[in-house]
Amino acid sequence: MKKTIVSLILLFTSFSFVIHAQEENVPSWAKETKAEKEKRMEWWTHDRFGMFIHWGIYALPARHEWVQNRERISKSEYKKYQELFNPDLYDPKEWAAKAKAAGMKYVVLTTKHHDGFCMWDTKHTDYKITNTPYGKDILKPFVDAFRAEGIRIGFYYSLIDWHHPHFTYDNMHPDKPENWKEENKNRDMTKYRQYMKDQLTELLTEFGQIDELFLDFSYPGEGGKGHKEWDSESLLKHVRSLMPNVIVDNRMDLNHTTWGWDYFTPEQFMPSEWPTLNGERIPWETCQTFSGSWGYYRDEYTWKSPHQLITMLIETVSKGGNLLLNVGPTARGVFDDRANERLDAIAQWMKFHSRSIYGCTQAPDEFSRPQNCFLTYNPEKKRLYIHVLEWPFKSLQLKGYKGKFKYAQLLNDDSELKFSSPKVSGIEAGGGNMTEFGQSDDVFIQLPVERPNVEIPVIELVLE
Ligand code: GLC
């Protein structure tokens, strides 16, 4: 017993030492209180839903944005896509209108993906959009069009670069020669690190306010790259000095710090609950695809249904997270029919239900989750939203809800829903009345037999 207490004390002391040490190690430029961070991320936490766009010359092969790596295409062979890229139908206003209609409040575009090709007129390489048959910048018109719709701007920027002559060969490099370790002696990562800084300077000074920065990604260890190779601390310092308010993802391999990331990024994965670190809930944004690929993939046939996608949005918010949902435009510059169909379905649902998404988060524990439902909660407006995935017959039982709300309605048409609680607890009360199959602190909401004609109906409770 004594031994346990001593080791507990020791454990606690060393734990607080770690936390303390961590705090002491926060670089001066990164110091920020919890409240300041929350304030900086306020819009993001409120808005919940963004559009990811993966677009680059890999839209031409139309076989995944990693095609250069997957098919081991050499740099010289891959060049043919630069020589052919001509998105003649590109109209960012159309994209922005679709994002807006779908209720997406921010957008994150790939300015450069792992292939190294740049979608803006950067001064630091020739490998860019102005050197294609298209011949014009893509990024400025993009930013203007989305901003005009009131959508916030985020940039994705790949840390990995399979084109830059000083990006050292590693396990993942598609173009590495047999003797790549030897060859790396002719490559100088210092130059590549400077290149990233110079490009980020352009991205963070020439396009107005940038709200989210998605740096992608690290694979530390033997034959990989992590914070040492990127010099992540210095890179992040550079970013913050140019755009202090920007919200930055966690893919620079700084997860061991408290200051080197703003939010976590589960990719094509739904956490079973709100993710925590050292026992504290952390901001998170899951990025998801329509079909498994990020870049346009013509022959990909595992497209999620509108029901799955809307459920994903609801489930994410029900666990306190954001959803960044990806579209991969074609090489002609448009969203394909399959993407449009899904965006339209989301738009139709969001038109009537966005109140259960914006400003919402996980419901307090006192509200139990009814069968086949997800809950979201707006703490400011004091509303609870019950998202009913499977429409039950005539009534929905809310366990322990008695006295917790004063009014109930369907969200799609604001039509009142009556409710009542059993007078006596339990089935032994007899009589066959549905309300008798519950406890006296339960509430039964009376529902129409016919499911409202929306993808996922939502019940709104006005809380006491
Ligand atoms: C991954 C992939 C990439 C995609 C990204 C989106 O890191 O390498 O292709 O852009 O995640 O989260």
Side-chain angles (χ1 to χ4, degrees), residues 56-61 77-88 117 127-129 131-135 331-332:
I57 53 177
Y58 44 77
L60 277 169
E77 208 186 317
Y78 195 77
K79 207 169 162 39
K80 68 179 171 226
Y81 301 125
Q82 176 187 6
E83 284 160 6
L84 283 166
F85 194 64
N86 191 7
D88 56 333
F117 185 81
Y127 199 44
K128 58 179 173 181
I129 190 65
N131 294 326
T132 62
Y134 185 67
R332 297 293 299 277

PDB file of all heavy atoms in Angstrom, residues 56-61 77-88 117 127-129 131-135 331-332:
ATOM      1  N   GLY A  56      -4.518  19.640 -59.118  1.00  0.00           N
ATOM      2  CA  GLY A  56      -3.168  19.835 -59.652  1.00  0.00           C
ATOM      3  C   GLY A  56      -3.067  19.089 -60.965  1.00  0.00           C
ATOM      4  O   GLY A  56      -4.082  18.551 -61.474  1.00  0.00           O
ATOM      5  N   ILE A  57      -1.852  18.987 -61.508  1.00  0.00           N
ATOM      6  CA  ILE A  57      -1.709  18.350 -62.823  1.00  0.00           C
ATOM      7  C   ILE A  57      -2.003  16.847 -62.760  1.00  0.00           C
ATOM      8  O   ILE A  57      -2.218  16.213 -63.781  1.00  0.00           O
ATOM      9  CB  ILE A  57      -0.334  18.630 -63.477  1.00  0.00           C
ATOM     10  CG1 ILE A  57       0.823  18.276 -62.529  1.00  0.00           C
ATOM     11  CG2 ILE A  57      -0.219  20.089 -63.887  1.00  0.00           C
ATOM     12  CD1 ILE A  57       2.210  18.459 -63.166  1.00  0.00           C
ATOM     13  N   TYR A  58      -2.055  16.291 -61.532  1.00  0.00           N
ATOM     14  CA  TYR A  58      -2.424  14.869 -61.383  1.00  0.00           C
ATOM     15  C   TYR A  58      -3.888  14.608 -61.746  1.00  0.00           C
ATOM     16  O   TYR A  58      -4.311  13.460 -61.842  1.00  0.00           O
ATOM     17  CB  TYR A  58      -2.137  14.366 -59.954  1.00  0.00           C
ATOM     18  CG  TYR A  58      -2.582  15.333 -58.872  1.00  0.00           C
ATOM     19  CD1 TYR A  58      -3.926  15.445 -58.517  1.00  0.00           C
ATOM     20  CD2 TYR A  58      -1.660  16.170 -58.240  1.00  0.00           C
ATOM     21  CE1 TYR A  58      -4.329  16.358 -57.549  1.00  0.00           C
ATOM     22  CE2 TYR A  58      -2.052  17.080 -57.272  1.00  0.00           C
ATOM     23  CZ  TYR A  58      -3.387  17.172 -56.929  1.00  0.00           C
ATOM     24  OH  TYR A  58      -3.796  18.078 -55.979  1.00  0.00           O
ATOM     25  N   ALA A  59      -4.660  15.682 -61.967  1.00  0.00           N
ATOM     26  CA  ALA A  59      -6.037  15.481 -62.440  1.00  0.00           C
ATOM     27  C   ALA A  59      -6.044  14.897 -63.857  1.00  0.00           C
ATOM     28  O   ALA A  59      -7.014  14.260 -64.273  1.00  0.00           O
ATOM     29  CB  ALA A  59      -6.816  16.793 -62.401  1.00  0.00           C
ATOM     30  N   LEU A  60      -4.956  15.099 -64.604  1.00  0.00           N
ATOM     31  CA  LEU A  60      -4.884  14.555 -65.975  1.00  0.00           C
ATOM     32  C   LEU A  60      -4.796  13.025 -66.014  1.00  0.00           C
ATOM     33  O   LEU A  60      -5.631  12.381 -66.644  1.00  0.00           O
ATOM     34  CB  LEU A  60      -3.708  15.184 -66.728  1.00  0.00           C
ATOM     35  CG  LEU A  60      -3.966  16.547 -67.376  1.00  0.00           C
ATOM     36  CD1 LEU A  60      -2.656  17.166 -67.857  1.00  0.00           C
ATOM     37  CD2 LEU A  60      -4.927  16.455 -68.554  1.00  0.00           C
ATOM     38  N   PRO A  61      -3.810  12.418 -65.319  1.00  0.00           N
ATOM     39  CA  PRO A  61      -3.836  10.945 -65.293  1.00  0.00           C
ATOM     40  C   PRO A  61      -5.128  10.436 -64.643  1.00  0.00           C
ATOM     41  O   PRO A  61      -5.586   9.337 -64.959  1.00  0.00           O
ATOM     42  CB  PRO A  61      -2.593  10.558 -64.489  1.00  0.00           C
ATOM     43  CG  PRO A  61      -2.124  11.803 -63.804  1.00  0.00           C
ATOM     44  CD  PRO A  61      -2.605  12.950 -64.636  1.00  0.00           C
ATOM     45  N   GLU A  77       9.213  11.988 -67.122  1.00  0.00           N
ATOM     46  CA  GLU A  77       7.993  11.450 -67.728  1.00  0.00           C
ATOM     47  C   GLU A  77       6.754  12.201 -67.222  1.00  0.00           C
ATOM     48  O   GLU A  77       5.813  12.465 -67.969  1.00  0.00           O
ATOM     49  CB  GLU A  77       7.879   9.973 -67.342  1.00  0.00           C
ATOM     50  CG  GLU A  77       7.142   9.107 -68.338  1.00  0.00           C
ATOM     51  CD  GLU A  77       6.976   7.710 -67.758  1.00  0.00           C
ATOM     52  OE1 GLU A  77       7.968   7.197 -67.176  1.00  0.00           O
ATOM     53  OE2 GLU A  77       5.861   7.176 -67.850  1.00  0.00           O
ATOM     54  N   TYR A  78       6.797  12.553 -65.939  1.00  0.00           N
ATOM     55  CA  TYR A  78       5.646  13.240 -65.304  1.00  0.00           C
ATOM     56  C   TYR A  78       5.438  14.627 -65.914  1.00  0.00           C
ATOM     57  O   TYR A  78       4.347  15.175 -65.878  1.00  0.00           O
ATOM     58  CB  TYR A  78       5.913  13.345 -63.802  1.00  0.00           C
ATOM     59  CG  TYR A  78       4.710  13.681 -62.938  1.00  0.00           C
ATOM     60  CD1 TYR A  78       3.751  12.721 -62.628  1.00  0.00           C
ATOM     61  CD2 TYR A  78       4.532  14.967 -62.420  1.00  0.00           C
ATOM     62  CE1 TYR A  78       2.652  13.031 -61.823  1.00  0.00           C
ATOM     63  CE2 TYR A  78       3.448  15.283 -61.612  1.00  0.00           C
ATOM     64  CZ  TYR A  78       2.502  14.305 -61.314  1.00  0.00           C
ATOM     65  OH  TYR A  78       1.436  14.621 -60.518  1.00  0.00           O
ATOM     66  N   LYS A  79       6.486  15.152 -66.497  1.00  0.00           N
ATOM     67  CA  LYS A  79       6.451  16.501 -67.073  1.00  0.00           C
ATOM     68  C   LYS A  79       5.369  16.651 -68.140  1.00  0.00           C
ATOM     69  O   LYS A  79       4.873  17.736 -68.409  1.00  0.00           O
ATOM     70  CB  LYS A  79       7.833  16.822 -67.645  1.00  0.00           C
ATOM     71  CG  LYS A  79       8.125  18.298 -67.669  1.00  0.00           C
ATOM     72  CD  LYS A  79       9.573  18.584 -67.993  1.00  0.00           C
ATOM     73  CE  LYS A  79       9.795  20.024 -68.453  1.00  0.00           C
ATOM     74  NZ  LYS A  79       9.039  21.045 -67.759  1.00  0.00           N
ATOM     75  N   LYS A  80       4.993  15.519 -68.754  1.00  0.00           N
ATOM     76  CA  LYS A  80       3.986  15.613 -69.825  1.00  0.00           C
ATOM     77  C   LYS A  80       2.674  16.204 -69.299  1.00  0.00           C
ATOM     78  O   LYS A  80       1.942  16.850 -70.033  1.00  0.00           O
ATOM     79  CB  LYS A  80       3.744  14.248 -70.472  1.00  0.00           C
ATOM     80  CG  LYS A  80       3.078  13.220 -69.586  1.00  0.00           C
ATOM     81  CD  LYS A  80       2.878  11.921 -70.344  1.00  0.00           C
ATOM     82  CE  LYS A  80       2.413  10.830 -69.397  1.00  0.00           C
ATOM     83  NZ  LYS A  80       3.098   9.578 -69.553  1.00  0.00           N
ATOM     84  N   TYR A  81       2.417  16.004 -68.018  1.00  0.00           N
ATOM     85  CA  TYR A  81       1.166  16.552 -67.465  1.00  0.00           C
ATOM     86  C   TYR A  81       1.246  18.073 -67.362  1.00  0.00           C
ATOM     87  O   TYR A  81       0.248  18.756 -67.553  1.00  0.00           O
ATOM     88  CB  TYR A  81       0.842  15.891 -66.119  1.00  0.00           C
ATOM     89  CG  TYR A  81       0.687  14.387 -66.236  1.00  0.00           C
ATOM     90  CD1 TYR A  81       1.432  13.508 -65.455  1.00  0.00           C
ATOM     91  CD2 TYR A  81      -0.207  13.834 -67.166  1.00  0.00           C
ATOM     92  CE1 TYR A  81       1.296  12.132 -65.571  1.00  0.00           C
ATOM     93  CE2 TYR A  81      -0.341  12.463 -67.308  1.00  0.00           C
ATOM     94  CZ  TYR A  81       0.421  11.612 -66.506  1.00  0.00           C
ATOM     95  OH  TYR A  81       0.295  10.259 -66.637  1.00  0.00           O
ATOM     96  N   GLN A  82       2.436  18.575 -67.058  1.00  0.00           N
ATOM     97  CA  GLN A  82       2.603  20.029 -67.049  1.00  0.00           C
ATOM     98  C   GLN A  82       2.408  20.570 -68.472  1.00  0.00           C
ATOM     99  O   GLN A  82       1.773  21.604 -68.677  1.00  0.00           O
ATOM    100  CB  GLN A  82       4.006  20.403 -66.545  1.00  0.00           C
ATOM    101  CG  GLN A  82       4.264  21.901 -66.596  1.00  0.00           C
ATOM    102  CD  GLN A  82       5.712  22.272 -66.270  1.00  0.00           C
ATOM    103  OE1 GLN A  82       6.571  21.416 -66.102  1.00  0.00           O
ATOM    104  NE2 GLN A  82       5.970  23.563 -66.181  1.00  0.00           N
ATOM    105  N   GLU A  83       2.915  19.815 -69.447  1.00  0.00           N
ATOM    106  CA  GLU A  83       2.855  20.285 -70.830  1.00  0.00           C
ATOM    107  C   GLU A  83       1.445  20.225 -71.416  1.00  0.00           C
ATOM    108  O   GLU A  83       1.168  20.780 -72.466  1.00  0.00           O
ATOM    109  CB  GLU A  83       3.831  19.469 -71.684  1.00  0.00           C
ATOM    110  CG  GLU A  83       5.265  19.909 -71.430  1.00  0.00           C
ATOM    111  CD  GLU A  83       6.293  18.858 -71.838  1.00  0.00           C
ATOM    112  OE1 GLU A  83       5.897  17.820 -72.432  1.00  0.00           O
ATOM    113  OE2 GLU A  83       7.489  19.075 -71.552  1.00  0.00           O
ATOM    114  N   LEU A  84       0.545  19.518 -70.732  1.00  0.00           N
ATOM    115  CA  LEU A  84      -0.819  19.363 -71.262  1.00  0.00           C
ATOM    116  C   LEU A  84      -1.911  20.039 -70.434  1.00  0.00           C
ATOM    117  O   LEU A  84      -3.031  20.191 -70.894  1.00  0.00           O
ATOM    118  CB  LEU A  84      -1.149  17.872 -71.365  1.00  0.00           C
ATOM    119  CG  LEU A  84      -0.532  17.146 -72.550  1.00  0.00           C
ATOM    120  CD1 LEU A  84      -0.638  15.644 -72.357  1.00  0.00           C
ATOM    121  CD2 LEU A  84      -1.194  17.569 -73.850  1.00  0.00           C
ATOM    122  N   PHE A  85      -1.574  20.419 -69.193  1.00  0.00           N
ATOM    123  CA  PHE A  85      -2.624  20.891 -68.284  1.00  0.00           C
ATOM    124  C   PHE A  85      -3.265  22.184 -68.814  1.00  0.00           C
ATOM    125  O   PHE A  85      -2.618  23.211 -68.980  1.00  0.00           O
ATOM    126  CB  PHE A  85      -2.029  21.131 -66.893  1.00  0.00           C
ATOM    127  CG  PHE A  85      -3.061  21.297 -65.804  1.00  0.00           C
ATOM    128  CD1 PHE A  85      -3.920  20.261 -65.466  1.00  0.00           C
ATOM    129  CD2 PHE A  85      -3.177  22.509 -65.105  1.00  0.00           C
ATOM    130  CE1 PHE A  85      -4.869  20.414 -64.449  1.00  0.00           C
ATOM    131  CE2 PHE A  85      -4.115  22.659 -64.090  1.00  0.00           C
ATOM    132  CZ  PHE A  85      -4.963  21.615 -63.760  1.00  0.00           C
ATOM    133  N   ASN A  86      -4.558  22.115 -69.090  1.00  0.00           N
ATOM    134  CA  ASN A  86      -5.261  23.289 -69.624  1.00  0.00           C
ATOM    135  C   ASN A  86      -6.730  23.283 -69.193  1.00  0.00           C
ATOM    136  O   ASN A  86      -7.620  22.945 -69.980  1.00  0.00           O
ATOM    137  CB  ASN A  86      -5.147  23.281 -71.156  1.00  0.00           C
ATOM    138  CG  ASN A  86      -5.621  24.597 -71.740  1.00  0.00           C
ATOM    139  OD1 ASN A  86      -5.907  25.556 -71.000  1.00  0.00           O
ATOM    140  ND2 ASN A  86      -5.732  24.660 -73.059  1.00  0.00           N
ATOM    141  N   PRO A  87      -6.982  23.662 -67.954  1.00  0.00           N
ATOM    142  CA  PRO A  87      -8.353  23.600 -67.437  1.00  0.00           C
ATOM    143  C   PRO A  87      -9.226  24.723 -68.005  1.00  0.00           C
ATOM    144  O   PRO A  87      -9.509  25.717 -67.341  1.00  0.00           O
ATOM    145  CB  PRO A  87      -8.151  23.756 -65.928  1.00  0.00           C
ATOM    146  CG  PRO A  87      -6.870  24.492 -65.782  1.00  0.00           C
ATOM    147  CD  PRO A  87      -6.012  24.126 -66.963  1.00  0.00           C
ATOM    148  N   ASP A  88      -9.654  24.545 -69.228  1.00  0.00           N
ATOM    149  CA  ASP A  88     -10.349  25.619 -69.950  1.00  0.00           C
ATOM    150  C   ASP A  88     -11.706  25.982 -69.341  1.00  0.00           C
ATOM    151  O   ASP A  88     -12.238  27.042 -69.597  1.00  0.00           O
ATOM    152  CB  ASP A  88     -10.506  25.229 -71.421  1.00  0.00           C
ATOM    153  CG  ASP A  88     -11.238  23.896 -71.594  1.00  0.00           C
ATOM    154  OD1 ASP A  88     -11.177  23.052 -70.673  1.00  0.00           O
ATOM    155  OD2 ASP A  88     -11.889  23.707 -72.638  1.00  0.00           O
ATOM    156  N   PHE A 117       4.268  20.510 -57.905  1.00  0.00           N
ATOM    157  CA  PHE A 117       3.749  21.462 -58.888  1.00  0.00           C
ATOM    158  C   PHE A 117       2.950  22.574 -58.198  1.00  0.00           C
ATOM    159  O   PHE A 117       2.083  22.297 -57.364  1.00  0.00           O
ATOM    160  CB  PHE A 117       2.869  20.736 -59.920  1.00  0.00           C
ATOM    161  CG  PHE A 117       2.422  21.651 -61.022  1.00  0.00           C
ATOM    162  CD1 PHE A 117       3.276  21.934 -62.080  1.00  0.00           C
ATOM    163  CD2 PHE A 117       1.169  22.259 -60.972  1.00  0.00           C
ATOM    164  CE1 PHE A 117       2.881  22.814 -63.085  1.00  0.00           C
ATOM    165  CE2 PHE A 117       0.774  23.131 -61.978  1.00  0.00           C
ATOM    166  CZ  PHE A 117       1.636  23.408 -63.035  1.00  0.00           C
ATOM    167  N   TYR A 127       8.227  25.413 -62.137  1.00  0.00           N
ATOM    168  CA  TYR A 127       7.284  24.290 -62.143  1.00  0.00           C
ATOM    169  C   TYR A 127       5.954  24.785 -61.591  1.00  0.00           C
ATOM    170  O   TYR A 127       5.598  24.536 -60.436  1.00  0.00           O
ATOM    171  CB  TYR A 127       7.860  23.180 -61.257  1.00  0.00           C
ATOM    172  CG  TYR A 127       7.288  21.802 -61.482  1.00  0.00           C
ATOM    173  CD1 TYR A 127       7.095  21.308 -62.763  1.00  0.00           C
ATOM    174  CD2 TYR A 127       6.973  20.986 -60.395  1.00  0.00           C
ATOM    175  CE1 TYR A 127       6.591  20.035 -62.951  1.00  0.00           C
ATOM    176  CE2 TYR A 127       6.473  19.710 -60.582  1.00  0.00           C
ATOM    177  CZ  TYR A 127       6.281  19.250 -61.871  1.00  0.00           C
ATOM    178  OH  TYR A 127       5.785  17.978 -62.057  1.00  0.00           O
ATOM    179  N   LYS A 128       5.216  25.491 -62.430  1.00  0.00           N
ATOM    180  CA  LYS A 128       4.046  26.208 -61.932  1.00  0.00           C
ATOM    181  C   LYS A 128       3.016  26.411 -63.037  1.00  0.00           C
ATOM    182  O   LYS A 128       3.312  26.284 -64.228  1.00  0.00           O
ATOM    183  CB  LYS A 128       4.479  27.550 -61.363  1.00  0.00           C
ATOM    184  CG  LYS A 128       5.195  28.431 -62.364  1.00  0.00           C
ATOM    185  CD  LYS A 128       5.581  29.773 -61.766  1.00  0.00           C
ATOM    186  CE  LYS A 128       6.441  30.560 -62.731  1.00  0.00           C
ATOM    187  NZ  LYS A 128       6.851  31.850 -62.177  1.00  0.00           N
ATOM    188  N   ILE A 129       1.849  26.804 -62.592  1.00  0.00           N
ATOM    189  CA  ILE A 129       0.670  26.896 -63.443  1.00  0.00           C
ATOM    190  C   ILE A 129       0.841  27.838 -64.640  1.00  0.00           C
ATOM    191  O   ILE A 129       0.298  27.581 -65.715  1.00  0.00           O
ATOM    192  CB  ILE A 129      -0.569  27.296 -62.592  1.00  0.00           C
ATOM    193  CG1 ILE A 129      -1.859  27.168 -63.372  1.00  0.00           C
ATOM    194  CG2 ILE A 129      -0.422  28.674 -61.965  1.00  0.00           C
ATOM    195  CD1 ILE A 129      -2.207  25.775 -63.782  1.00  0.00           C
ATOM    196  N   ASN A 131       3.328  28.168 -66.376  1.00  0.00           N
ATOM    197  CA  ASN A 131       4.084  27.463 -67.419  1.00  0.00           C
ATOM    198  C   ASN A 131       3.370  26.190 -67.870  1.00  0.00           C
ATOM    199  O   ASN A 131       3.943  25.103 -67.894  1.00  0.00           O
ATOM    200  CB  ASN A 131       5.494  27.122 -66.917  1.00  0.00           C
ATOM    201  CG  ASN A 131       6.318  28.366 -66.693  1.00  0.00           C
ATOM    202  OD1 ASN A 131       6.166  29.354 -67.415  1.00  0.00           O
ATOM    203  ND2 ASN A 131       7.166  28.338 -65.686  1.00  0.00           N
ATOM    204  N   THR A 132       2.129  26.346 -68.200  1.00  0.00           N
ATOM    205  CA  THR A 132       1.330  25.251 -68.777  1.00  0.00           C
ATOM    206  C   THR A 132       0.582  25.870 -69.960  1.00  0.00           C
ATOM    207  O   THR A 132       0.566  27.110 -70.086  1.00  0.00           O
ATOM    208  CB  THR A 132       0.270  24.742 -67.771  1.00  0.00           C
ATOM    209  OG1 THR A 132      -0.623  25.822 -67.476  1.00  0.00           O
ATOM    210  CG2 THR A 132       0.886  24.206 -66.497  1.00  0.00           C
ATOM    211  N   PRO A 133      -0.091  25.069 -70.773  1.00  0.00           N
ATOM    212  CA  PRO A 133      -0.886  25.686 -71.843  1.00  0.00           C
ATOM    213  C   PRO A 133      -1.943  26.647 -71.289  1.00  0.00           C
ATOM    214  O   PRO A 133      -2.334  27.592 -71.952  1.00  0.00           O
ATOM    215  CB  PRO A 133      -1.558  24.485 -72.522  1.00  0.00           C
ATOM    216  CG  PRO A 133      -0.711  23.319 -72.173  1.00  0.00           C
ATOM    217  CD  PRO A 133      -0.083  23.620 -70.844  1.00  0.00           C
ATOM    218  N   TYR A 134      -2.378  26.430 -70.060  1.00  0.00           N
ATOM    219  CA  TYR A 134      -3.366  27.325 -69.453  1.00  0.00           C
ATOM    220  C   TYR A 134      -2.764  28.728 -69.307  1.00  0.00           C
ATOM    221  O   TYR A 134      -3.426  29.729 -69.579  1.00  0.00           O
ATOM    222  CB  TYR A 134      -3.803  26.766 -68.093  1.00  0.00           C
ATOM    223  CG  TYR A 134      -4.909  27.561 -67.428  1.00  0.00           C
ATOM    224  CD1 TYR A 134      -6.188  27.604 -67.981  1.00  0.00           C
ATOM    225  CD2 TYR A 134      -4.672  28.267 -66.251  1.00  0.00           C
ATOM    226  CE1 TYR A 134      -7.213  28.336 -67.369  1.00  0.00           C
ATOM    227  CE2 TYR A 134      -5.678  28.995 -65.633  1.00  0.00           C
ATOM    228  CZ  TYR A 134      -6.942  29.030 -66.196  1.00  0.00           C
ATOM    229  OH  TYR A 134      -7.942  29.750 -65.591  1.00  0.00           O
ATOM    230  N   GLY A 135      -1.540  28.756 -68.811  1.00  0.00           N
ATOM    231  CA  GLY A 135      -0.764  29.993 -68.833  1.00  0.00           C
ATOM    232  C   GLY A 135      -1.147  31.085 -67.846  1.00  0.00           C
ATOM    233  O   GLY A 135      -0.560  32.168 -67.877  1.00  0.00           O
ATOM    234  N   ALA A 331      -9.474  17.734 -64.760  1.00  0.00           N
ATOM    235  CA  ALA A 331      -8.442  18.524 -65.427  1.00  0.00           C
ATOM    236  C   ALA A 331      -9.044  19.608 -66.335  1.00  0.00           C
ATOM    237  O   ALA A 331      -8.345  20.531 -66.754  1.00  0.00           O
ATOM    238  CB  ALA A 331      -7.526  17.605 -66.239  1.00  0.00           C
ATOM    239  N   ARG A 332     -10.336  19.513 -66.640  1.00  0.00           N
ATOM    240  CA  ARG A 332     -11.002  20.601 -67.379  1.00  0.00           C
ATOM    241  C   ARG A 332     -11.353  21.761 -66.447  1.00  0.00           C
ATOM    242  O   ARG A 332     -11.711  22.841 -66.898  1.00  0.00           O
ATOM    243  CB  ARG A 332     -12.297  20.091 -68.050  1.00  0.00           C
ATOM    244  CG  ARG A 332     -12.120  19.025 -69.109  1.00  0.00           C
ATOM    245  CD  ARG A 332     -11.405  19.532 -70.357  1.00  0.00           C
ATOM    246  NE  ARG A 332     -12.070  20.620 -71.084  1.00  0.00           N
ATOM    247  CZ  ARG A 332     -13.045  20.461 -71.979  1.00  0.00           C
ATOM    248  NH1 ARG A 332     -13.500  19.252 -72.275  1.00  0.00           N
ATOM    249  NH2 ARG A 332     -13.573  21.514 -72.590  1.00  0.00           N
TER     250      ARG A 332
END
